Amino acid sequence: MPVAPSRSSRGVNAGGPAGAGAAGLTASELRALFRVAAEVSVTPKKLAGYLNMTTAAVTFISRRLVDSGLLHRVNNPNDRRSLYLELTPLAHQMMRDVHRDFVALLEAATSDLDRTELDTFSATLQSVARSMVRHSARADTSEPREELRPGSAGSTTHL
C-alpha cells in the first residue's frame, strides 16, 4: 500500500486546503488532482489543456503524483500509445478529506447568517461557480464542458 507523501516546505501552505499541506503538494499538483477527480479518468494531454499547462509540465506533475501514490496510470484500450491518469484510493480519501474540511469551514463561517443571508450567499457561490466553469471552458477549446446545475457532482452545496 502506498504511503502518504511526506510534508514538504514547497507544498501548499498551512492556510490552504486541509490535507494538501500535510501531503506536501504544490498548488499545481492539487489542481491536477482536483481535475483528475472531476474527470475520473483523463489523458495527460487533456489534463494539460484543462490546466492550461504544457504536456511536459503535466508529465512532471503526474510523475510526482504517481511516485507519491496519489495517481496511477491506466493503459488506454483504444490507443497503445496513450494512457489515462486516475486517482488512487489514497487520493480519493484525500479528496474526501479536503471536501469535508472545506464544507465544515463553510458551515462554521456561515453559522451566524440568517436564512435570507444564507440563501443570498449560496446563490452568489453558485453564480461564481458557473462563471468559473464558463471561463475554464473557454480556456479548453478541445471540447465544450457541461455547466454546473443544482444536484450535479460539481455543484455548490447549499448549507
Side-chain angles (χ1 to χ4, degrees):
M1 173 121 172
V3 177
S6 62
R7 208 171 269 262
S8 167
S9 61
R10 68 182 196 75
V12 175
N13 65 30
L25 299 177
T26 66
S28 294
E29 291 163 346
L30 188 59
R31 284 180 57 224
L33 283 178
F34 272 102
R35 176 47 65 186
V36 173
E39 297 296 319
V40 179
S41 188
V42 65
T43 64
K45 182 177 180 178
K46 276 195 161 230
L47 183 59
Y50 289 138
L51 300 177
N52 198 25
M53 294 180 173
T54 65
T55 53
V58 167
T59 297
F60 177 79
I61 289 169
S62 64
R63 184 176 300 131
R64 182 166 142 70
L65 293 171
V66 166
D67 291 347
S68 297
L70 296 171
L71 283 184
H72 61 95
R73 297 177 183 103
V74 177
N75 291 332
N76 182 340
N78 301 319
D79 183 352
R80 292 183 303 140
R81 300 168 295 159
S82 180
L83 59 93
Y84 290 104
L85 297 169
E86 296 179 355
L87 297 183
T88 64
L90 179 64
H92 279 289
Q93 183 59 52
M94 190 178 93
M95 292 289 103
R96 283 190 294 274
D97 292 347
V98 167
H99 283 101
R100 181 200 63 231
D101 292 349
F102 181 72
V103 168
L105 180 64
L106 269 178
E107 287 174 346
T110 59
S111 64
D112 292 334
L113 299 179
D114 65 30
R115 190 72 205 165
T116 302
E117 292 169 325
L118 190 57
D119 288 344
T120 300
F121 176 72
S122 182
T124 301
L125 280 180
Q126 289 177 4
S127 176
V128 168
R130 284 189 297 274
S131 179
M132 290 173 71
V133 168
R134 280 192 305 275
H135 285 87
S136 179
R138 287 183 201 133
D140 173 29
T141 58
S142 61
E143 65 182 54
R145 295 208 188 134
E146 183 178 333
E147 287 196 24
L148 294 179
R149 61 191 182 285
S152 71
S155 69
T156 303
T157 302
H158 186 82
L159 301 174

